[in-house]
Each structure stands twice: as C-alpha cells, then as structure tokens.
Amino acid sequence: MAKKSASEKTNVMRVLEQHKISYTPHEYPHGKEAVDGASVAHLLGQDPAQVFKTLVARGKSGGFHVFVIPVEKELDLKKAAKASGEKSVEMVHVKELLGLTGYVRGGCSPVGMKKAFPTVFDESVLNVPTVMVSAGKIGYQVECAPADLIGLVRAQTAAITTE
C-alpha cells in the first residue's frame, strides 16, 4: 500500500485501498476555488500529459457518462458521444455535479462516485506510466497505474479529445 503523503485520506484513497490498488497521494496548495488542471500539473511538477481531469456529460438518452482526459486537452463531444454509444452528449451544469457524483468542480474523480456511470478514458492514458486524477477533493490527487484505474471503474478507452 502507498504511504500517505497527503495530510488527510479522501474517499478515493479509501476505495483504492479497499481494492488493493497501489497509489501515491499528492497534495497541492489551493484556495476555496477549483484550480484548472494545467495549474494543478504545474503546482505538482507533473507532466500535464499524465494529469487527467474528470468530466461528466448527459447523453441524448438521458444517461450520464464520465470522460477522463489530459488536463490540457478539450473533450470532443462528437467523439465522446460515439465512444459512449450516444447520438450526442452535453456537459452537465456545475450545479448538478455534487448531487450527481458526490464531488465538487475541481475535485471530481472517476473513483468513488455516488453511482458507477459508464466511463471512458482518453486513449492517451495507455501511453503514460502512471496517471494522476483528483482524489475527490480540491487540493488532492492520486497517482496510480492506468490499468489499475481503468479496471477499477470498468472504463473503456477511446480517442475522445479534440485534435
């Protein structure tokens, strides 16, 4: 198990430990507001290609989908819809995020959401040795092997970012 360098354990860290997934916790300085992902990567001294953000969208069918992409990339809604088997998808409003996922903007993680939604990681995750995602709280990240994370949330991978 990973040693805890973050000053507190988040729900995401507990879920990873329950599933015996090795991770490295990271903490970064922050205020009350969400910090954009590129800034998080910079604050942690990490390659932005390895730091992923978690986005939640509603499909045309009414179902919700989670997309996890590198922080410096933009989600391509057409590619995301295709990858999730929807005619179209649109981002959920920030106000819906907490009630839907249990997480606030800037602290949304693909791990430990209130409900398991279909999840797609950008295929670039397969090219990095480790991936960092939010630990479920602003100021905290977890780093682990992409395959462990993908397996845990039963995600698929696809090209879902804009060129």
Side-chain angles (χ1 to χ4, degrees):
M1 274 299 104
K3 288 188 176 58
K4 191 168 78 75
S5 73
S7 60
E8 65 180 89
K9 195 170 284 186
T10 67
N11 185 47
V12 170
M13 294 172 192
R14 286 189 281 278
V15 169
L16 291 171
E17 288 173 8
Q18 282 171 345
H19 290 88
K20 300 190 176 6
I21 292 174
S22 181
Y23 71 91
T24 304
H26 295 273
E27 195 172 341
Y28 60 90
H30 62 92
K32 292 263 184 260
E33 292 301 305
V35 181
D36 73 274
S39 298
V40 170
H42 178 73
L43 287 167
L44 291 169
Q46 296 288 330
D47 177 354
Q50 284 181 254
V51 181
F52 280 53
K53 58 187 172 186
T54 304
L55 305 171
V56 183
R58 180 184 287 105
K60 183 112 172 123
S61 70
F64 294 97
H65 301 272
V66 175
F67 300 100
V68 190
I69 66 172
V71 293
E72 291 188 328
K73 298 282 190 172
E74 290 296 319
L75 183 67
D76 182 314
L77 294 175
K78 281 188 168 66
K79 290 178 183 176
K82 184 175 183 217
S84 59
E86 292 278 358
K87 283 191 185 350
S88 64
V89 295
E90 61 180 27
M91 300 307 295
V92 299
H93 198 279
V94 171
K95 290 188 295 210
E96 293 179 89
L97 204 57
L98 182 60
L100 196 60
T101 65
Y103 296 126
V104 297
R105 179 177 176 267
C108 193
S109 177
V111 177
M113 286 190 181
K114 284 182 170 181
K115 187 172 178 248
F117 296 111
T119 302
V120 180
F121 275 78
D122 184 66
E123 66 185 7
S124 66
V125 75
L126 302 173
N127 302 326
V128 294
T130 61
V131 62
M132 290 180 72
V133 295
S134 174
K137 190 170 181 184
I138 294 173
Y140 299 88
Q141 295 271 313
V142 289
E143 178 179 8
C144 52
D148 289 345
L149 206 52
I150 289 165
L152 176 65
V153 299
R154 296 188 173 95
Q156 53 182 336
T157 59
I160 55 172
T161 57
T162 56
E163 292 310 311

